[in-house]
């Protein structure tokens, strides 16, 4: 399989902010062509030019909206179901929505965001130290057809971090008005103290939270498993525990679930849907599904029913 065409830009140096998604949804419903007129969008949204362009980028990579004819935008089925007038969470108040948006961000096959694809799937170091990661990203970029400038790579990585790590003030207090993205609430990346980087200097280290996720619903995980299955192995009746836990773009990688937790969750699937069956033996551990076509909207609705995806 050939390498996908990665995306490194489009966010205009801004991570997605708390009020942006509901604001964009309302604007698109009122005027699908608002984002094609930057001056009008700046007035209507109360944002600067680069922020408007950034917001247009984020609603698309989070699959809330998609291009329509005439350079307009329209809500996707997912965007309408979650954020529409009768949506499941129109004001972005439920952590289930955050997990779903995180999944949407990480599940692009053709034009994935490079930092998301690389760090969630391929970066094997136990800690995320900025200078070390930038060196690794630079090495990876040299394999691309068009190597990128260090400044572009650094900005792209910083936006990734601002998506999951809260902004802090001089005394280390969280500045709520400046939180870069609602996805910080997922707690996927944690501060791990000061470490020595590859240059021999002290630097803040972060790490992925690989513990069970108490607010990740079984329905959200079921939606992610079905989406991953449909895109990667549509003709297969079974997927192994290993594929679902450590495969590129798998739910285990994207949600940073340890193998024991994933095993426990998969074992619960047949309690919620008899078309799934988790089988475990000395030779294999795998999830089997009877039917191959699930209605995504039904799985999304199930995600909000509140059953937690752990034993």
């Amino acid at each position: 399989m050939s390498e996908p065409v990665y995306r490194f830009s489009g966010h205009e140096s801004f991570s997605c902010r708390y009020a942006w998604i509901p604001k964009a949804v309302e604007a698109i419903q009122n005027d699908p062509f608002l984002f094609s007129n930057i001056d009008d969008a700046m007035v209507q949204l109360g944002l600067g030019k680069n922020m408007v362009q950034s917001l247009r980028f984020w609603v698309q990579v989070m699959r809330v909206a998609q291009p329509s004819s005439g350079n307009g935008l329209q809500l996707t089925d997912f965007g309408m179901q979650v954020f529409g007038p009768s949506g499941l969470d129109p004001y972005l108040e439920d952590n289930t929505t955050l997990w779903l948006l995180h999944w949407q961000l990480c599940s692009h096959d053709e034009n994935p965001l490079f930092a998301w694809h690389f760090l969630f799937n391929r970066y094997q170091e136990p800690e995320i130290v900025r200078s070390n990661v930038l060196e690794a990203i630079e090495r990876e970029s040299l394999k691309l057809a068009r190597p990128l400038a260090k400044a572009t790579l650094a900005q792209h990585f910083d936006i990734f971090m601002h998506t999951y790590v809260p902004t802090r003030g001089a005394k280390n207090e969280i500045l709520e008005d400046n939180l870069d993205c609602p996805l910080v609430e997922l707690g996927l990346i944690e501060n791990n103290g000061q470490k020595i980087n590859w240059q021999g200097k002290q630097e803040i280290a972060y790490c992925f939270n690989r513990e069970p996720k108490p607010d990740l619903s079984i329905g959200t995980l079921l939606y992610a498993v079905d989406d991953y299955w449909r895109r990667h192995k549509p003709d297969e009746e079974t997927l192994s525990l290993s594929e679902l836990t450590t495969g590129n773009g798998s739910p285990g990688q994207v949600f940073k679930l340890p193998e024991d937790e994933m095993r426990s969750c998969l074992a619960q699937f047949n309690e919620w849907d008899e078309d799934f069956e988790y089988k475990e033996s000395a030779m294999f551990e795998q999830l089997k599904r009877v039917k191959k076509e699930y209605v995504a909207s039904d799985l999304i609705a199930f995600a909000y029913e509140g059953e937690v995806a752990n034993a």
Side-chain angles (χ1 to χ4, degrees), residues 96 213-222 265 268-269 271-272 301-311:
T96 292
K213 308 300 186 291
D215 60 347
L216 177 65
S217 71
I218 194 73
T220 301
L221 186 59
L222 185 60
C265 293
Q268 296 179 63
F269 273 20
E271 297 178 21
W272 307 107
F302 179 43
Y304 287 86
E305 291 186 10
E307 296 295 341
V308 176
N310 56 42

Short mmCIF file of all heavy atoms in Angstrom, two decimals, residues 96 213-222 265 268-269 271-272 301-311:
data_model
loop_
_atom_site.label_atom_id
_atom_site.label_comp_id
_atom_site.label_asym_id
_atom_site.label_seq_id
_atom_site.Cartn_x
_atom_site.Cartn_y
_atom_site.Cartn_z
N THR A 96 -18.83 12.30 25.04
CA THR A 96 -18.97 11.37 23.93
C THR A 96 -18.70 12.07 22.61
O THR A 96 -18.06 11.52 21.71
CB THR A 96 -20.39 10.75 23.92
OG1 THR A 96 -20.53 9.90 25.06
CG2 THR A 96 -20.64 9.93 22.66
N LYS A 213 -10.27 4.34 29.86
CA LYS A 213 -10.92 5.64 29.67
C LYS A 213 -12.34 5.56 30.24
O LYS A 213 -13.26 5.05 29.58
CB LYS A 213 -10.95 6.01 28.18
CG LYS A 213 -9.58 5.95 27.48
CD LYS A 213 -8.57 6.88 28.11
CE LYS A 213 -7.25 6.97 27.36
NZ LYS A 213 -6.45 5.74 27.42
N PRO A 214 -12.57 6.04 31.46
CA PRO A 214 -13.85 5.85 32.11
C PRO A 214 -15.04 6.53 31.45
O PRO A 214 -16.19 6.15 31.69
CB PRO A 214 -13.62 6.41 33.53
CG PRO A 214 -12.46 7.32 33.40
CD PRO A 214 -11.60 6.74 32.33
N ASP A 215 -14.79 7.55 30.61
CA ASP A 215 -15.92 8.22 29.96
C ASP A 215 -16.06 7.84 28.49
O ASP A 215 -16.84 8.46 27.77
CB ASP A 215 -15.79 9.73 30.11
CG ASP A 215 -14.50 10.28 29.49
OD1 ASP A 215 -13.61 9.46 29.18
OD2 ASP A 215 -14.39 11.51 29.32
N LEU A 216 -15.34 6.81 28.05
CA LEU A 216 -15.48 6.31 26.68
C LEU A 216 -16.60 5.29 26.66
O LEU A 216 -16.48 4.22 27.26
CB LEU A 216 -14.17 5.68 26.22
CG LEU A 216 -14.16 5.03 24.82
CD1 LEU A 216 -14.38 6.08 23.74
CD2 LEU A 216 -12.84 4.30 24.59
N SER A 217 -17.68 5.59 25.97
CA SER A 217 -18.84 4.70 25.99
C SER A 217 -18.62 3.50 25.08
O SER A 217 -17.87 3.54 24.11
CB SER A 217 -20.10 5.45 25.55
OG SER A 217 -20.06 5.74 24.16
N ILE A 218 -19.31 2.40 25.40
CA ILE A 218 -19.22 1.19 24.59
C ILE A 218 -19.73 1.47 23.18
O ILE A 218 -19.22 0.93 22.20
CB ILE A 218 -20.01 0.03 25.25
CG1 ILE A 218 -19.64 -1.32 24.62
CG2 ILE A 218 -21.51 0.26 25.18
CD1 ILE A 218 -18.29 -1.82 25.01
N GLY A 219 -20.72 2.37 23.06
CA GLY A 219 -21.24 2.71 21.74
C GLY A 219 -20.23 3.46 20.90
O GLY A 219 -20.14 3.26 19.68
N THR A 220 -19.44 4.34 21.52
CA THR A 220 -18.40 5.05 20.79
C THR A 220 -17.35 4.08 20.28
O THR A 220 -16.91 4.16 19.13
CB THR A 220 -17.73 6.09 21.71
OG1 THR A 220 -18.71 7.02 22.18
CG2 THR A 220 -16.64 6.86 20.97
N LEU A 221 -16.96 3.14 21.13
CA LEU A 221 -15.97 2.14 20.70
C LEU A 221 -16.54 1.26 19.61
O LEU A 221 -15.84 0.92 18.64
CB LEU A 221 -15.53 1.30 21.90
CG LEU A 221 -14.38 0.32 21.63
CD1 LEU A 221 -13.13 1.04 21.13
CD2 LEU A 221 -14.07 -0.47 22.90
N LEU A 222 -17.81 0.88 19.72
CA LEU A 222 -18.45 0.07 18.69
C LEU A 222 -18.49 0.81 17.35
O LEU A 222 -18.19 0.23 16.30
CB LEU A 222 -19.87 -0.30 19.13
CG LEU A 222 -20.66 -1.25 18.23
CD1 LEU A 222 -19.96 -2.58 18.09
CD2 LEU A 222 -22.07 -1.45 18.80
N CYS A 265 -13.43 -4.79 26.66
CA CYS A 265 -14.47 -4.08 25.91
C CYS A 265 -15.05 -4.95 24.81
O CYS A 265 -16.27 -5.02 24.62
CB CYS A 265 -13.90 -2.80 25.32
SG CYS A 265 -13.45 -1.55 26.53
N GLN A 268 -17.56 -7.42 25.77
CA GLN A 268 -18.89 -6.88 26.08
C GLN A 268 -19.74 -6.65 24.84
O GLN A 268 -20.95 -6.46 24.95
CB GLN A 268 -18.75 -5.53 26.80
CG GLN A 268 -18.06 -5.59 28.15
CD GLN A 268 -17.96 -4.20 28.75
OE1 GLN A 268 -18.96 -3.55 29.03
NE2 GLN A 268 -16.73 -3.73 28.93
N PHE A 269 -19.12 -6.66 23.67
CA PHE A 269 -19.86 -6.28 22.46
C PHE A 269 -21.10 -7.12 22.25
O PHE A 269 -22.16 -6.62 21.88
CB PHE A 269 -18.94 -6.36 21.23
CG PHE A 269 -18.16 -5.09 20.97
CD1 PHE A 269 -17.96 -4.15 21.97
CD2 PHE A 269 -17.63 -4.84 19.71
CE1 PHE A 269 -17.25 -3.00 21.74
CE2 PHE A 269 -16.92 -3.68 19.46
CZ PHE A 269 -16.72 -2.75 20.48
N GLU A 271 -22.96 -8.45 24.30
CA GLU A 271 -24.03 -8.12 25.23
C GLU A 271 -24.91 -7.00 24.68
O GLU A 271 -26.09 -6.91 25.00
CB GLU A 271 -23.44 -7.68 26.57
CG GLU A 271 -22.64 -8.76 27.30
CD GLU A 271 -22.05 -8.22 28.58
OE1 GLU A 271 -22.56 -7.20 29.11
OE2 GLU A 271 -21.07 -8.81 29.07
N TRP A 272 -24.30 -6.15 23.83
CA TRP A 272 -25.02 -4.99 23.31
C TRP A 272 -25.49 -5.20 21.88
O TRP A 272 -26.42 -4.54 21.42
CB TRP A 272 -24.12 -3.75 23.41
CG TRP A 272 -23.58 -3.56 24.78
CD1 TRP A 272 -22.30 -3.78 25.21
CD2 TRP A 272 -24.32 -3.21 25.94
NE1 TRP A 272 -22.19 -3.57 26.55
CE2 TRP A 272 -23.42 -3.21 27.04
CE3 TRP A 272 -25.65 -2.88 26.17
CZ2 TRP A 272 -23.81 -2.89 28.33
CZ3 TRP A 272 -26.04 -2.56 27.46
CH2 TRP A 272 -25.13 -2.57 28.52
N ALA A 301 -25.98 7.12 17.69
CA ALA A 301 -27.03 7.29 18.69
C ALA A 301 -26.76 6.40 19.91
O ALA A 301 -26.93 6.83 21.06
CB ALA A 301 -28.40 6.97 18.08
N PHE A 302 -26.31 5.17 19.65
CA PHE A 302 -26.00 4.24 20.73
C PHE A 302 -24.84 4.76 21.58
O PHE A 302 -24.79 4.54 22.80
CB PHE A 302 -25.67 2.87 20.13
CG PHE A 302 -25.30 1.81 21.14
CD1 PHE A 302 -26.01 1.67 22.32
CD2 PHE A 302 -24.24 0.95 20.90
CE1 PHE A 302 -25.68 0.68 23.24
CE2 PHE A 302 -23.89 -0.03 21.82
CZ PHE A 302 -24.62 -0.16 22.99
N ALA A 303 -23.92 5.47 20.95
CA ALA A 303 -22.76 6.00 21.67
C ALA A 303 -23.16 6.91 22.82
O ALA A 303 -22.47 7.01 23.83
CB ALA A 303 -21.83 6.74 20.71
N TYR A 304 -24.32 7.59 22.68
CA TYR A 304 -24.76 8.54 23.70
C TYR A 304 -25.64 7.92 24.78
O TYR A 304 -26.13 8.63 25.66
CB TYR A 304 -25.52 9.70 23.04
CG TYR A 304 -24.62 10.66 22.30
CD1 TYR A 304 -24.25 10.41 20.97
CD2 TYR A 304 -24.11 11.79 22.91
CE1 TYR A 304 -23.41 11.27 20.28
CE2 TYR A 304 -23.27 12.66 22.23
CZ TYR A 304 -22.92 12.39 20.92
OH TYR A 304 -22.09 13.25 20.24
N GLU A 305 -25.81 6.61 24.72
CA GLU A 305 -26.70 5.97 25.71
C GLU A 305 -26.02 5.78 27.05
O GLU A 305 -26.66 5.38 28.02
CB GLU A 305 -27.23 4.65 25.16
CG GLU A 305 -28.20 4.86 24.01
CD GLU A 305 -28.86 3.58 23.53
OE1 GLU A 305 -28.71 2.54 24.24
OE2 GLU A 305 -29.50 3.60 22.48
N GLY A 306 -24.71 5.98 27.12
CA GLY A 306 -24.06 6.11 28.41
C GLY A 306 -23.40 4.89 29.00
O GLY A 306 -22.80 4.99 30.08
N GLU A 307 -23.47 3.74 28.35
CA GLU A 307 -22.78 2.56 28.88
C GLU A 307 -21.28 2.75 28.71
O GLU A 307 -20.79 3.02 27.62
CB GLU A 307 -23.25 1.29 28.17
CG GLU A 307 -24.71 0.95 28.39
CD GLU A 307 -25.03 0.60 29.83
OE1 GLU A 307 -24.09 0.28 30.57
OE2 GLU A 307 -26.20 0.64 30.21
N VAL A 308 -20.54 2.58 29.79
CA VAL A 308 -19.09 2.81 29.77
C VAL A 308 -18.38 1.61 29.19
O VAL A 308 -18.71 0.46 29.48
CB VAL A 308 -18.57 3.12 31.19
CG1 VAL A 308 -17.07 3.26 31.20
CG2 VAL A 308 -19.23 4.39 31.71
N ALA A 309 -17.35 1.87 28.38
CA ALA A 309 -16.65 0.81 27.65
C ALA A 309 -15.54 0.18 28.47
O ALA A 309 -14.40 0.10 28.05
CB ALA A 309 -16.09 1.35 26.34
N ASN A 310 -15.86 -0.22 29.69
CA ASN A 310 -14.90 -1.05 30.45
C ASN A 310 -15.65 -1.88 31.47
O ASN A 310 -16.80 -1.59 31.80
CB ASN A 310 -13.80 -0.20 31.11
CG ASN A 310 -14.37 0.88 32.03
OD1 ASN A 310 -15.30 0.65 32.78
ND2 ASN A 310 -13.79 2.07 31.93
N ALA A 311 -14.99 -2.90 31.96
CA ALA A 311 -15.66 -3.83 32.86
C ALA A 311 -15.80 -3.23 34.25
O ALA A 311 -15.00 -2.39 34.64
CB ALA A 311 -14.84 -5.12 32.94
#
